[in-house]
Amino acid sequence: MVIVTGASSGIGKASAELFASRGGRVVAFSRSEAKIGKSVIVLRGDASSENDVDRLFSECESRLGP
């Protein structure tokens, strides 16, 4: 599994798309809405916010397991 921050555009989006295209389990995390693909889990939040990062990891564990 890979978590990609800044996944709504640029290098972050390209990275998330590449991992997903190769069969990776991808969680895209960004402040803006990210539209990447059906197999990608998209979560909105700010990587500089401790609360958002805590929520990110809780959500990843809930959806994908420990």
Side-chain angles (χ1 to χ4, degrees):
M1 177 189 56
V2 63
I3 297 171
V4 179
T5 61
S8 63
S9 65
I11 294 171
K13 184 175 182 177
S15 297
E17 288 172 339
L18 178 62
F19 280 115
S21 74
R22 304 259 170 108
R25 296 187 315 171
V26 179
V27 177
F29 187 66
S30 66
R31 290 182 287 175
S32 303
E33 184 69 27
K35 298 190 191 254
I36 297 171
K38 294 178 183 179
S39 65
V40 176
I41 296 170
V42 177
L43 300 174
R44 290 183 69 178
D46 185 344
S48 69
S49 165
E50 186 174 345
N51 289 336
D52 284 0
V53 172
D54 287 343
R55 184 178 50 78
L56 165 66
F57 284 104
S58 293
E59 195 67 30
C60 286
E61 186 172 10
S62 169
R63 292 186 186 197
L64 301 171

